[in-house]
Amino acid sequence: MSSIEHAEESSRLPKSARTEQLRAGLERLYEAYNRPCFVEPDPLQFLRQYADPLDREVAGIIASSLAFGQVAQIIAGVQSVLDRMAAPRAFLLRATRPSLARAFTDFRHRYVTGRELADMLWGVRSVLARHGSLGRCFTACLASSDDTVLPALTQFVDCLREDSTMPRNYLLPSPRRGSACKRLNLFLRWMVRRDEVDLGGWDGVCPALLIVPIDTHMHRFAKALGLTTRKQADMRTALEVTAGFRRFAPHDPVRFDFALTRLGIRKDANSEALLNALGLSAGPHLL
């Protein structure tokens, strides 16, 4: 049976059966691709270089903040930053504004300048000095009534921007402006979830609260899976897609994020087999 015939047959199933078929397909995808051997090339690979969770969270916010553009560019950009830092947390705690500006004066990642990077890193350094870690700061922003990380993420960005001298910084988008905050939600996935791929470390945050990091590729998948009809990949869409994935994994709605995004990153990912498993056609709207 072709992937198109498979998709047409699947679409005629009752809603409950269709949901179960998608859940089973997503689980097969998770088992196939959610493995350490599929991490590279991915900015997540840099976190595995640090045994100390306090270094890992600093490396994580740097790696996630630069996770836009072509994968090779991302890897080169993150490597360039971390090579200048050695032990990331200790480097920042020793830093001054002028020393950060000097350290990254020649840095550029696409349209992000060394000035923006130094501004973000100063915000990270300020949070470390006030709270001891990024994780403690984020946990302090959480309320027991929160049903997603959105309110805490908004406050967290405010904390990181508190000492900024720039009116806006692309590396630290605020949910207040409607941004999907894909890269910050990616960072939270890395910090909160713990399995073979995501290393965790922030035990005070429940994975059930996480928001799917939505970009163009994930948006296309979500529309194909019937999780959203929205045209814009903004925060409203991210929340809608997250609610949709909760049907398949109520306690871990971003469980399938890594596996699904292998299609957009790895050339050796078997796209046709993956889409067949989900009952979807391998049309240009997905690939």
Side-chain angles (χ1 to χ4, degrees):
M1 181 184 295
S2 72
S3 59
I4 294 177
E5 291 170 332
H6 190 183
E8 289 174 347
E9 181 176 300
S10 298
S11 67
R12 292 192 290 268
L13 292 172
K15 186 176 180 180
S16 59
R18 173 64 172 156
T19 297
E20 191 51 45
Q21 182 194 57
L22 286 174
R23 188 201 318 276
L26 288 166
E27 287 294 344
R28 286 193 294 272
L29 176 64
Y30 178 88
E31 292 300 324
Y33 288 103
N34 205 81
R35 303 178 188 176
C37 62
F38 288 112
V39 169
E40 295 186 22
D42 189 292
L44 173 59
Q45 72 192 56
F46 292 100
L47 279 65
R48 295 175 171 270
Q49 299 175 7
Y50 303 97
D52 188 340
L54 295 176
D55 279 327
R56 197 181 298 147
E57 65 174 13
V58 176
I61 199 164
I62 292 167
S64 61
S65 72
L66 298 175
F68 62 97
Q70 295 182 346
V71 178
Q73 286 181 311
I74 295 170
I75 300 303
V78 178
Q79 189 71 66
S80 173
V81 176
L82 294 178
D83 281 349
R84 308 178 199 208
M85 300 180 75
R89 185 172 187 273
F91 175 90
L92 287 184
L93 289 176
R94 290 193 303 266
T96 62
R97 275 191 195 272
S99 72
L100 284 175
R102 288 193 300 271
F104 299 102
T105 186
D106 63 339
F107 176 82
R108 192 168 191 89
H109 176 65
R110 298 190 68 191
Y111 38 79
V112 169
T113 64
R115 183 183 173 217
E116 284 178 287
L117 177 64
D119 179 72
M120 183 199 78
L121 292 177
W122 183 254
V124 174
R125 191 255 182 223
S126 298
V127 167
L128 295 179
R130 291 188 190 113
H131 296 270
S133 73
L134 297 178
R136 286 179 192 165
C137 177
F138 191 87
T139 303
C141 295
L142 276 174
S144 59
S145 58
D146 292 343
D147 55 4
T148 74
V149 293
L150 179 57
L153 179 58
T154 304
Q155 293 182 54
F156 183 63
V157 172
D158 288 345
C159 291
L160 290 168
R161 297 274 295 139
E162 188 173 333
D163 294 328
S164 175
T165 59
M166 302 179 69
R168 295 186 68 175
N169 188 326
Y170 180 79
L171 298 177
L172 292 173
S174 173
R176 283 197 177 90
R177 297 177 179 271
S179 168
C181 296
K182 179 256 182 179
R183 289 167 291 129
L184 285 167
N185 281 313
L186 182 63
F187 170 62
L188 294 180
R189 193 201 90 198
W190 295 345
M191 294 296 103
V192 173
R193 294 191 71 257
R194 191 190 300 271
D195 61 11
E196 285 192 70
V197 167
D198 294 324
L199 301 177
W202 289 9
D203 296 332
V205 185
C206 178
L209 302 180
L210 293 174
I211 297 171
V212 171
I214 194 157
D215 59 9
T216 301
H217 296 295
M218 181 58 78
H219 190 204
R220 287 174 181 167
F221 270 115
K223 287 197 289 186
L225 290 168
L227 305 183
T228 186
T229 58
R230 288 180 53 79
K231 295 181 179 179
Q232 208 171 355
D234 55 14
M235 181 57 77
R236 283 183 60 190
T237 300
L239 291 171
E240 192 171 285
V241 170
T242 300
F245 274 111
R246 282 204 185 96
R247 302 203 319 254
F248 311 118
H251 304 295
D252 189 8
V254 302
R255 173 178 174 83
F256 308 110
D257 179 63
F258 177 83
L260 278 169
T261 53
R262 293 315 87 193
L263 280 186
I265 293 178
R266 294 188 62 93
K267 294 180 180 179
D268 58 351
N270 189 333
S271 305
E272 181 73 14
L274 184 157
L275 296 173
N276 269 323
L278 297 175
L280 302 174
S281 62
H285 63 295
L286 282 176
L287 300 180

